[in-house]
Amino acid sequence: MAAKFVVFYDKAKKFRFRLLATNGEIIAVGEAYESKASCLNGIKSIQKNAPAAVLVDETLKKETDEKKAPKKKPAAKKATAKKPAAKKATAKKAADKKPAAKKPAAKKPAAKKAATPKPAPPKDPIVE
């Protein structure tokens, strides 16, 4: 069986297409189109342009840019003028204050389960 395009209605009653591989797996899904003619034009465009399409992997560009970019130095802290220390309260004022009321102890949140790490996506052979 050869690869094929299948035109269908989505949930919003718009036209879409799927590109199926020879084994029946979905390779690509087109955007939603208002008319069937527009959907068929989208398929024709892919048939016309895909054979000459060039692969541009923008994920690799970001990874290499991050490795090449020099790390930024942390910003220098600005010197701030220190305020003079506040005067200590007299013993009489401290004695006049009422003791603070005790607050009820806060409940500790339940321990979270450790998340299992997600597997890395498989690496595809990429042509640049």
Side-chain angles (χ1 to χ4, degrees), residues 75-83:
K77 293 184 179 181
K78 294 182 180 179
T80 56
K82 293 186 179 181
K83 295 181 181 178

Side-chain angles (χ1 to χ4, degrees), residues 33-45:
Y33 294 93
E34 293 292 330
S35 69
K36 187 173 183 178
S38 297
C39 184
L40 295 174
N41 284 337
I43 293 171
K44 287 178 186 176
S45 176

Side-chain angles (χ1 to χ4, degrees), residues 14-42:
K14 307 258 178 156
F15 291 93
R16 288 185 180 261
F17 65 84
R18 291 184 186 108
L19 175 56
L20 302 179
T22 56
N23 63 0
E25 288 190 42
I26 298 171
I27 299 173
V29 179
E31 63 182 88
Y33 294 93
E34 293 292 330
S35 69
K36 187 173 183 178
S38 297
C39 184
L40 295 174
N41 284 337

